[in-house]
Amino acid sequence: MPDTNKQYDEVIAKCREMFIYKMGDYGPNWRILRPETLTDQILIKAKRIRTLEINGVSKVGEDIWPEYMGIINYGVIALIQLDLGYVDDVDMSREKALELYDKYINATKTLMIAKNADYGEAWRLMRMESYTDMILSKLQRIKVIENNGGKTRVSEGIDANIQDMINYSVFALIKHNESL
């Protein structure tokens, strides 16, 4: 049986490396983004994945796998922004950004481990397209919650939905890596 924890860490290592490269290019300029903007950025990536799944061809020559990585990294950024809020000027060092990245991805992995135990790794039985649909569903939930001022009565909040989107993206990348 595959080692989900090890596979998860391998996927995150690649995403974290991309996060570091992007910060080398731009710094933590994402600190100015409002949570709603991050929701929309993740939506763009998820819609592109779905379009490529349906059409089977990319006009720009890129496949869906970097988009899943983008959802993971933007998801972590969104969790940071939910906690710290946005700013008008970048106020964070690259080192602090990476420290926060690790904090939020570790919390998200902890959630995955708990859910994976409860659900018996059911994600391994899902079709690839279902990950995309679940991410799009979570985005619709987040947009409703955002439009309601971030409040829910009985449902999970924005942060839990973001963590689920990150984990679905990790699962998609694990399954992709297994198929190579």
Side-chain angles (χ1 to χ4, degrees), residues 84-102:
L84 300 182
Y86 65 92
V87 295
D88 291 329
D89 295 303
V90 176
D91 64 345
M92 183 179 292
S93 69
R94 293 175 182 162
E95 294 76 23
K96 181 64 176 176
L98 196 54
E99 176 186 317
L100 290 169
Y101 184 97
D102 293 340

Side-chain angles (χ1 to χ4, degrees), residues 110-123 156 171:
T110 298
L111 176 67
M112 180 278 300
I113 291 168
K115 285 188 172 185
N116 215 21
D118 287 352
Y119 288 94
E121 295 213 333
W123 65 270
E156 295 178 318
F171 295 156

Side-chain angles (χ1 to χ4, degrees), residues 41-50 67 70-71 74:
Q41 185 62 38
I42 295 168
L43 175 65
I44 290 167
K45 296 201 166 294
K47 291 292 264 183
R48 182 168 187 274
I49 292 168
R50 189 176 205 179
E67 302 298 349
I71 290 171
Y74 277 115

Side-chain angles (χ1 to χ4, degrees), residues 7 19 106 118 123 166 168 175:
Q7 290 174 306
F19 184 81
N106 288 335
D118 287 352
W123 65 270
I166 292 169
Y168 281 124
K175 285 185 84 168

Side-chain angles (χ1 to χ4, degrees), residues 126-143:
M126 293 172 64
R127 296 176 185 96
M128 290 297 284
E129 295 82 5
S130 295
Y131 300 130
T132 309
D133 291 350
M134 293 302 296
I135 291 167
L136 287 165
S137 174
K138 297 285 182 180
L139 285 161
Q140 291 302 312
R141 290 179 187 183
I142 290 170
K143 288 174 88 169

Side-chain angles (χ1 to χ4, degrees), residues 1 4 25-26 28 95 105 113-114 138 153 158 160 168 177:
M1 185 154 139
T4 300
D25 290 343
Y26 309 122
E95 294 76 23
I105 206 66
I113 291 168
K138 297 285 182 180
R153 288 189 199 191
I158 293 172
Y168 281 124
N177 291 344

